[in-house]
Amino acid sequence: MAALLYAAVLIGANPAAGQTLTPDQRAAVEALRTDDMRKLVVHADPIPAPDVVFTDPNGAEHRLADSNGRLRLVTFWATWCAPCLEENPSLDALQRTRGGADFEVLAIATGRNDPAAIDRFNAAAGITALPPLLDPKSALARAMNVPGLPVTVILNRQGAEIARLMGGADWTSAAALAIVDYLAGVEG
């Protein structure tokens, strides 16, 4: 049944869709929300990303709006966050299997996260595909209204938030992969 629904949703995807998901597209994503993905909230209208800088360990500045035309899944996490330790390996796997020119996962460590602690966290969790990104003063997390960790947002190709999931999730689940694949097709 789930496979038939997934196929039907993909057939109905509109590859020319722009920044706003149509009601039918939102309904299609809603139909895919099972298991952990039940927590995913799909917005009626995209929410512009705040123009707040985050960095990589070398100090290079980045902004969420700098989407480079990619659909992006952005997670806010911290080294002390137990649910993040459980969730981040699935995000790493999602980046390895789906990441590329059209889609990427960004894992932004927010708050006080020593770079050495991030390296230890990633090593302990087997994370190899997610480069460390930093929001040391939680400025981006505050601007994105992140009340706790982890929080994951999905940004469309224009860099605006189209969906949000509060708490941890398995991003390698059939439901998560179906949602990511559908949104990549709609946003393509």
Side-chain angles (χ1 to χ4, degrees):
M1 178 71 172
L4 288 175
L5 177 60
Y6 178 57
V9 167
L10 283 179
I11 290 168
N14 178 0
Q19 188 170 345
T20 302
L21 295 175
T22 68
D24 287 345
Q25 291 164 341
R26 281 194 317 277
V29 174
E30 292 291 332
L32 295 171
R33 292 174 53 245
T34 61
D35 302 321
D36 286 347
M37 292 298 112
R38 288 185 310 241
K39 298 182 286 185
L40 184 72
V41 176
V42 181
H43 306 312
D45 294 305
I47 301 168
D51 189 29
V52 176
V53 169
F54 60 97
T55 64
D56 60 36
N58 297 324
E61 295 184 348
H62 306 275
R63 288 178 170 74
L64 292 179
D66 300 336
S67 68
N68 299 322
R70 292 180 183 161
L71 180 72
R72 293 169 131 183
L73 190 143
V74 180
T75 188
F76 291 90
W77 71 283
T79 56
W80 47 262
C81 168
C84 300
L85 183 59
E86 291 179 28
E87 179 183 53
N88 281 20
S90 71
L91 291 163
D92 186 68
L94 180 63
Q95 175 62 26
R96 278 187 274 111
T97 60
R98 298 299 199 271
D102 293 328
F103 175 76
E104 74 177 325
V105 176
L106 300 178
I108 302 175
T110 190
R112 294 182 182 171
N113 292 282
D114 178 59
I118 292 172
D119 291 342
R120 285 191 303 274
F121 179 100
N122 287 343
I127 294 170
T128 60
L130 298 177
L133 298 169
L134 309 169
D135 179 26
K137 295 183 180 177
S138 300
L140 179 58
R142 277 192 308 279
M144 292 288 295
N145 298 313
V146 173
L149 299 176
V151 168
T152 303
V153 297
I154 300 175
L155 304 178
N156 66 16
R157 294 181 190 281
Q158 293 80 28
E161 181 179 332
I162 57 174
R164 176 178 290 232
L165 189 143
M166 306 280 283
D170 178 1
W171 290 96
T172 60
S173 71
L177 295 175
I179 289 169
V180 168
D181 290 345
Y182 177 75
L183 289 173
V186 168
E187 286 285 317

